Amino acid sequence: MADNVQSSENLLNTKPEEPKLVTNLRGIKKKLMVMSGKGGVGKSTISASLAAALAARGKKVGLLDCDIHGPSIPTMFGIEDERPIVGEKGIVPIEVSSNLKVMSIGLLLDNKDSPIVWRGPAKMGAIKQFLEEVDWGKLDYLIIDLPPGTGDEPLSIVQLIGNVDGAIVVTTPQDVALVSVRKSLKFVEMMKVPLIGLVNNMDGIICPHCNKRIDVFRSGGVDKASTDYNVPILGSLPIEPDVASTGDSGTIAACVNGTSEWHKNFKTIVDNISTRVK
Ligand SMILES: Nc1ncnc2c1ncn2[C@@H]1O[C@H](COP(=O)(O)OP(=O)(O)OP(=O)(O)O)[C@@H](O)[C@H]1O
Ligand SMILES: [Mg+2]
């Protein structure tokens, strides 16, 4: 055969180049997304607390804030003024602690008040960059905090990653939230992402004076959604003013130390997630 013609055997043995994204995420053991059909139900609080709790248990954790229009993770960790640098292996995420790295579009904006006015393809481009160009290194978990709904951001994550290891769906007990949350459960099912479970957030409040529980929203909707979609409730969290203030003051990582009912229940949720994501 002439030298300038590759043999068919050689052609068959030539492996296509691995996509950059696959190479970049190779060191990550588990990729988990936190989502909800409803806004303001506590997705970012739970993503940030989960990331901090797993890191405190000695796991290597990355937290990717995929809320392009309303990133809140930098505020929760008090890192809004930090700016990532570009190293030899890519964009270096901000290290909140030795075990916890964070990336968010909020860390890349010149002005905190500037809105991101982007349609789907531009958002998908940014998310692709977070997955391809951020130097995540070796991680036990990548936690992905998503904005509300079942649109561009969750779809981009599922399609780009291809093998998301699980979804945690956050809800609050009232029917008005559950209508949208059930759509998230359906979305996860349609995308064939394993459903880790539901977190029932803002489930009542414990009176600081008499220690009695007050049910702010009355509904059996979370139990019904759990039965209908055959998905466990990982735990319920009451409204806890301390948690809201740590989020606002950039000290969310302190959530691993509290002793309130929220803190006790949150520990159970982290245990349940660790057990179910093997
Ligand atoms: N269990 C709780 N107790 C008290 N406050 C809470 C609790 N969960 C969340 N919050 C507060 O509720 C507000 C909304 O929470 P968070 O930003 O986590 O919601 P979200 O679902 O991520 O919102 P968005 O849809 O805008 O992304 C925050 O101020 C947060 O501190
Ligand atoms: Mg959020």
Side-chain angles (χ1 to χ4, degrees):
M1 192 183 290
D3 281 352
N4 61 340
V5 180
Q6 240 184 327
S7 74
S8 57
E9 196 181 333
N10 276 350
L11 280 172
L12 286 174
N13 284 341
T14 309
K15 282 199 189 138
E17 207 180 311
E18 186 177 73
K20 199 173 166 192
L21 188 147
V22 175
T23 315
N24 198 46
L25 301 185
R26 189 168 294 289
I28 304 176
K29 289 188 189 152
K30 298 290 174 192
K31 303 166 210 84
L32 305 180
M33 54 195 234
V34 179
M35 65 180 300
S36 176
K38 185 85 170 70
V41 292
K43 297 175 291 299
S44 302
T45 305
I46 287 163
S47 303
S49 311
L50 175 63
L54 290 168
R57 292 180 183 195
K59 302 293 180 191
K60 294 276 177 206
V61 185
L63 175 57
L64 174 58
D65 181 359
C66 266
D67 195 331
I68 304 291
H69 299 291
S72 53
I73 295 293
T75 306
M76 291 184 174
F77 284 101
I79 54 169
E80 311 99 301
D81 295 330
E82 308 240 2
R83 290 292 170 268
I85 55 161
V86 180
E88 271 175 28
K89 294 186 190 161
I91 305 167
V92 183
I94 300 299
E95 273 203 13
V96 168
S97 69
S98 59
N99 281 347
L100 178 53
K101 301 170 181 180
V102 173
M103 180 49 69
S104 165
I105 196 123
L107 298 167
L108 306 173
L109 299 175
D110 287 338
N111 179 344
K112 279 191 276 188
D113 294 338
S114 298
I116 296 274
V117 189
W118 289 351
R119 292 187 204 273
K123 288 194 270 183
M124 189 167 185
I127 292 172
K128 191 162 181 250
Q129 263 186 299
F130 285 148
L131 299 172
E132 271 182 353
E133 288 171 35
V134 172
D135 177 15
W136 292 109
K138 287 200 165 70
L139 295 178
D140 293 301
Y141 296 95
L142 178 67
I143 310 290
I144 303 162
D145 177 34
L146 287 161
T150 51
D152 292 311
E153 295 84 349
L155 194 56
S156 300
I157 282 294
V158 172
Q159 289 180 338
L160 288 167
I161 296 182
N163 62 344
V164 175
D165 295 284
I168 296 152
V169 176
V170 182
T171 186
T172 50
Q174 73 273 46
D175 286 338
V176 77
L178 273 151
V179 170
S180 321
V181 169
R182 291 176 68 95
K183 293 185 197 299
S184 299
L185 293 170
K186 190 80 198 163
F187 170 90
V188 174
E189 197 179 81
M190 279 164 60
M191 296 294 141
K192 300 194 167 40
V193 173
L195 251 171
I196 307 298
L198 275 163
V199 174
N200 184 22
N201 192 26
M202 304 192 196
D203 181 29
I205 185 163
I206 312 294
C207 171
H209 307 291
C210 67
N211 244 8
K212 279 204 179 124
R213 198 192 137 82
I214 303 160
D215 280 323
V216 182
F217 313 113
R218 288 170 206 278
S219 166
V222 182
D223 291 322
K224 181 152 188 342
S226 156
T227 309
D228 291 350
Y229 284 87
N230 193 23
V231 55
I233 300 171
L234 299 164
S236 294
L237 298 166
I239 295 171
E240 171 52 59
D242 274 356
V243 169
S245 62
T246 54
D248 278 346
S249 63
T251 57
I252 194 90
C255 72
V256 293
N257 300 321
T259 53
S260 73
E261 177 157 329
W262 186 97
H263 294 89
K264 280 187 247 162
N265 293 3
F266 191 70
K267 190 178 165 299
T268 308
I269 291 173
V270 180
D271 291 343
N272 287 338
I273 293 172
S274 309
T275 312
R276 285 182 59 82
V277 184
K278 278 277 186 259

